[in-house]
Amino acid sequence: MVHLFLADGFEEIEALGTLDILRRAGIEVLTVSITGARLIRGAHNIPIMADNLFRRCGVEDSEMLVFPGGMPGMTNLGLHDGLRKAMVSHVQSDRPVAAICAAPALLGRSRLLAGRRATCYPGFEPQLDGAVCTGKMVEVDGNIITGRGPGAVFPFAFAIVERLRGAEVVEKIKHDMLLD
């Protein structure tokens, strides 16, 4: 199972676009609120009902952790100590993590991008401590996938699907979505 984390102020298209593509690929995804409530409001005031609360779901055995960007969503994600610990543990155990837009800063602040290629929303590069910032729409470096921003949602989600289910599944989804 993949866990996709939500905090008030998340970027809706990054979270929901990624969620949609992963579910089209047959990947079980659980949306997780890091607040005390399942109802979360995005950066553009779109309410979303998360599947579960962080305190009620174990992320230790997650297939992948996914962090959408958006402001102040990324800041709010970064304030959750349990989430930070889970993220660090996941990366250090060589399990996959994906972050888009401002969210790669969460990895950078924990020095998880040191020496790795990464991308993020323009202006957040100084927070990717030790990363080789490429400015590409998507970067895959080992177990970490990063995306540049809202316009990178499709390639970001497809990189996740390819990592978890393979290139053939990506091509089928692209065909079904009229993207080929």
Side-chain angles (χ1 to χ4, degrees), residues 19-178:
L19 175 65
D20 179 272
I21 289 172
L22 297 182
R23 288 189 175 169
R24 286 174 191 258
I27 297 170
E28 187 177 358
V29 183
L30 187 72
T31 56
V32 180
S33 168
I34 64 154
T35 72
R38 287 182 51 214
L39 183 64
I40 305 293
R41 289 207 174 267
H44 302 99
N45 207 30
I46 299 172
I48 301 297
M49 186 68 69
D51 297 319
N52 210 338
L53 302 176
F54 185 86
R55 70 175 183 260
R56 290 188 185 152
C57 67
V59 298
E60 302 79 24
D61 296 322
S62 182
E63 188 174 7
M64 177 181 269
L65 306 181
V66 179
F67 303 95
M71 293 302 284
M74 183 278 291
T75 301
N76 291 332
L77 288 174
L79 295 173
H80 194 280
D81 194 51
L83 182 59
R84 185 191 61 74
K85 288 176 182 174
M87 177 187 66
V88 169
S89 173
H90 216 74
V91 172
Q92 289 176 344
S93 298
D94 204 32
R95 292 179 287 163
V97 171
I100 187 169
C101 195
L106 299 170
L107 298 161
R109 292 173 185 169
S110 293
R111 297 276 308 154
L112 298 172
L113 295 175
R116 294 178 184 253
R117 292 179 324 278
T119 192
C120 64
Y121 194 82
F124 283 87
E125 295 88 352
Q127 296 182 49
L128 304 190
D129 197 11
V132 177
C133 297
T134 67
K136 291 182 179 179
M137 289 300 272
V138 173
E139 273 296 348
V140 178
D141 192 327
N143 61 327
I144 297 178
I145 299 170
T146 53
R148 192 153 191 231
V153 164
F154 282 2
F156 175 74
F158 291 141
I160 294 170
V161 172
E162 184 168 349
R163 168 70 189 239
L164 299 177
R165 298 298 185 266
E168 288 181 13
V169 175
V170 171
E171 291 310 311
K172 179 178 181 342
I173 294 169
K174 284 181 177 181
H175 176 76
D176 292 349
M177 292 178 71
L178 307 178

